Amino acid sequence: MLVLQLLPYMDDRLKSAYFSLLTTSPELYPYFVQVEHLERVNGFRGFDFQITLRAFPTVGPHISVGEDLFTYRISPSKVELVEYKHIKGPEVYDFPPNYLDMLRKM
């Protein structure tokens, strides 16, 4: 449920991160997001959470364009991106020849 709530925030960050790499915005599907770590920040009775997610965005017919790591702090009043890391991608050899136009000139 947390992943579904965070998808719009993740999509916004991915659009800006991949803007210089791709000619189109990447898509992020919930089944391509892994929960790496989740903790309650203030202990047992707190409602502040910190969650780390590993995401694998795609373009076209599910062509993987990379790997990204997000860490969010979630409280009842706001969602805050604590850390974002672009791990890898996109790689030219991951794209079929008819989808190479989605890559910007590198």
Side-chain angles (χ1 to χ4, degrees):
M1 188 166 74
L2 283 174
V3 171
L4 292 175
Q5 295 298 316
L6 292 173
L7 274 178
Y9 296 98
M10 296 169 74
D11 278 335
D12 288 343
R13 183 65 180 110
L14 288 174
K15 284 178 188 173
S16 63
Y18 284 86
F19 179 77
S20 64
L21 303 171
L22 300 171
T23 60
T24 184
S25 296
E27 297 283 331
L28 187 59
Y29 298 100
Y31 47 87
F32 286 139
V33 177
Q34 298 173 351
V35 177
E36 294 287 313
H37 184 74
L38 175 63
E39 69 177 291
R40 273 191 153 150
V41 177
N42 294 327
F44 174 68
R45 295 186 184 233
F47 289 99
D48 290 338
F49 297 92
Q50 187 158 316
I51 186 169
T52 302
L53 304 163
R54 185 173 304 273
F56 302 92
T58 63
V59 293
H62 294 349
I63 300 167
S64 179
V65 295
E67 181 179 342
D68 301 274
L69 203 62
F70 295 86
T71 301
Y72 283 98
R73 176 121 184 217
I74 305 165
S75 67
S77 61
K78 68 179 180 175
V79 174
E80 176 187 1
L81 179 62
V82 175
E83 185 178 14
Y84 168 78
K85 287 183 187 176
H86 177 72
I87 307 295
K88 66 176 185 175
E91 302 295 338
V92 175
Y93 55 81
D94 289 335
F95 285 76
N98 56 326
Y99 286 96
L100 285 174
D101 62 334
M102 291 184 167
L103 283 171
R104 291 198 192 270
K105 302 289 184 213
M106 294 183 189

